[in-house]
DNA sequence: TACGCTCAAAATTTCGAAAATCAAAGAAAA
DNA sequence: TTTTCTTTGATTTTCGAAATTTTGAGCGTA
């Protein structure tokens, strides 16, 4: 049986990612202790762990908070996702076999099905949970054959913070109608094993979350080719 | 005054990075409790935190270990460093001003001084502590003007695990005579603000730690230009 | 010898409270 | 009125021990 610690950790992570606590809300140890009917140290332990994966802010002698939402933060997380996912996807193209293609196709099919339902109903909310899981699954499968467990673990950490930053109505939960076309384009690039195209597709897909463009090269490339970022 | 927790965390991190515990050694809570004359929970808290930054391995109901050394792990860490440092250095070139150039030059000067002493004496060991700090300082300054706190924090986490993997005589502590020339080349690329050259220099410098090459593109680039990785 | 079982020792997880620290409200001084 | 100091209440940090789980040695059986 799993340890209590681990259960509380998972549950708290889920609550944080789905935005149950508002941005910048203080996480009172006493309140959580009651929620889970456990001791103070257990709560503290869990909150510490969550703080090192960026889902909780910790300040010495001042306790724990759910992180603030900020354009700055969204920008940095998006940038990092682009960096990790383009790299991971391109490596998967180089290293992954037909088995990887197959899993990616399956993940895309599931996601595509949900996004089509969202489009026809025009309302994301009732499908938000399903969609979130499918979206994460698709993006994780995309980089799954990259050959680096470290890259994949790092990506999960960044992805979850990214999701946490976007779980409010104002930011549209990170959902856009263009997703359908863009996810399809990413799948196509994977099946064509075209790395340059993949970089462009992933970049376009994620850059939608930016309010200002990423910095471009400070001088023109000798070949006029756009850089990866 | 800093909290006891934080002090122990910093000290343990230092001990782990400098390889005081052997690879794969069990970290006994009771032993550490005595070392620091504190309670078991405090030790546990610290070890949990260290485990989420990869300096300690944690297994449910089985406690904490110093991580194993493996070629696989070194490979993945090197790969990740290349990814983060090329990106960070190129962004610094785009965004950093003369103030950044100046700090990088200063960091290089300090590092260069130490590496010259190592070369003439032929013995790294007495200067290992100094060199390590200077090396880290140089590489962190390199990406310091990248504009993303997230990228910098992620890099520190990766860098420290990388260092931890190399702190034994067999791996030469990650030191090579070629360092002098390579660090100089990186500085030059920065001052020339040449991003393509920077990618090549950083790549060459770090790839030295690899026992097998990184996967190349699966088909020739249209322009015959080598990719970032 | 090999395999499985039981039981005790060792280690980990969880607890609840004491000690230390911070924050807010109110009193005193400028 | 504004500023500084003090007290009190709330929160965080640290502790040491109880409860739980794993480890491994010893024993019996195929």
């Amino acid at each position: 049986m799993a340890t209590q610690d681990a259960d509380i950790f998972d549950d708290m992570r889920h609550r944080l990612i789905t935005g149950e606590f508002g941005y910048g809300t203080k996480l009172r140890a006493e309140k959580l202790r009651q929620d889970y009917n456990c001791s103070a140290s257990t709560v503290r332990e869990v909150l510490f762990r969550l703080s090192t994966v960026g889902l909780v802010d910790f300040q010495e002698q001042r306790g724990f908070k759910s992180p603030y939402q900020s354009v700055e933060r969204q920008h940095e997380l998006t940038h990092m996702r682009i960096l990790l996912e383009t790299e991971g996807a391109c490596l998967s193209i180089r290293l992954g076999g037909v088995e990887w293609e197959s899993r990616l196709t399956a993940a895309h099919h599931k996601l595509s099905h949900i996004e089509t339902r969202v489009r026809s109903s025009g309302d994301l909310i009732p499908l938000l949970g399903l969609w979130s899981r499918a979206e994460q699954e698709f993006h994780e499968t995309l980089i799954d054959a990259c050959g680096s467990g470290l890259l994949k673990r790092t990506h999960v950490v960044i992805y979850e913070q990214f999701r946490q930053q976007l779980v409010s109505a104002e930011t549209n939960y990170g959902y856009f109608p263009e997703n359908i076309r863009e996810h399809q384009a990413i799948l196509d690039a994977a099946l064509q094993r075209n790395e340059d195209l993949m970089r462009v597709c992933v970049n376009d897909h994620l850059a939608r979350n930016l309010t200002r463009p990423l910095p471009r090269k400070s001088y023109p490339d000798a070949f006029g080719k756009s850089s990866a970022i």
Side-chain angles (χ1 to χ4, degrees), chain A:
Chain A
M1 186 179 54
T3 182
Q4 187 187 198
D5 229 76
D7 290 340
I8 300 181
F9 181 86
D10 287 340
D11 191 66
M12 274 298 293
R13 180 173 59 185
H14 185 257
R15 292 172 76 182
L16 285 160
I17 291 174
T18 56
E20 181 176 323
F21 312 96
Y23 295 109
T25 304
K26 200 155 189 354
L27 301 171
R28 264 166 240 287
E30 177 55 22
K31 168 71 167 55
L32 294 172
R33 198 192 63 69
Q34 288 171 12
D35 281 6
Y36 294 107
N37 190 37
C38 70
S39 86
S41 342
T42 305
V43 168
R44 187 176 168 80
E45 214 171 271
V46 167
L47 289 176
F48 260 127
R49 292 215 267 164
L50 289 164
S51 77
T52 51
V53 292
L55 293 176
V56 162
D57 275 359
F58 167 70
Q59 269 197 301
E60 233 173 58
Q61 310 278 36
R62 275 181 221 184
F64 302 88
K65 277 184 183 180
S66 135
Y68 291 101
Q69 192 180 38
S70 81
V71 172
E72 184 71 15
R73 209 165 139 71
Q74 283 169 36
H75 202 273
E76 294 189 359
L77 286 165
T78 301
H79 182 179
M80 191 66 89
R81 270 194 70 186
I82 291 176
L83 186 63
L84 297 175
E85 289 192 32
T86 51
E87 181 70 9
C90 288
L91 281 168
S92 286
I93 287 178
R94 287 176 223 181
L95 302 173
V98 66
E99 189 269 342
W100 169 67
E101 291 181 5
S102 151
R103 276 185 297 128
L104 187 63
T105 306
H108 176 265
H109 182 76
K110 209 181 293 182
L111 176 58
S112 167
H113 181 69
I114 294 169
E115 294 195 320
T116 305
R117 282 171 64 195
V118 171
R119 181 169 59 183
S120 58
S121 78
D123 188 8
L124 171 65
I125 306 302
L127 297 172
L128 186 55
L130 273 181
W131 176 74
S132 293
R133 258 191 301 283
E135 228 266 339
Q136 178 161 9
E137 177 74 16
F138 178 70
H139 282 276
E140 279 175 15
T141 307
L142 181 63
I143 67 170
D144 194 60
C146 73
S148 168
L150 180 62
L151 178 58
K152 292 196 274 181
R153 288 192 302 276
T154 307
H155 177 260
V156 171
V157 169
I158 299 297
Y159 184 93
E160 293 189 341
Q161 290 181 61
F162 177 91
R163 173 58 26 87
Q164 182 186 44
Q165 279 285 308
L166 293 181
V167 285
S168 70
E170 300 91 61
T171 51
N172 215 22
Y173 303 91
Y175 178 87
F176 299 92
E178 293 87 345
N179 278 349
I180 296 181
R181 185 175 44 73
E182 290 170 359
H183 285 141
Q184 181 67 54
I186 290 173
L187 177 65
D188 291 346
L191 297 181
Q192 289 171 38
R193 308 206 158 253
N194 185 332
E195 293 188 30
D196 290 330
L197 181 59
M198 178 62 86
R199 284 182 194 277
V200 172
C201 290
V202 170
N203 202 78
D204 287 353
H205 178 50
L206 297 179
R208 189 176 301 291
N209 296 289
L210 297 175
T211 53
R212 56 192 156 90
L214 288 166
R216 311 304 300 187
K217 280 205 175 185
S218 50
Y219 67 96
D221 185 334
F223 298 97
K225 225 179 93 181
S226 71
S227 83
I229 293 296

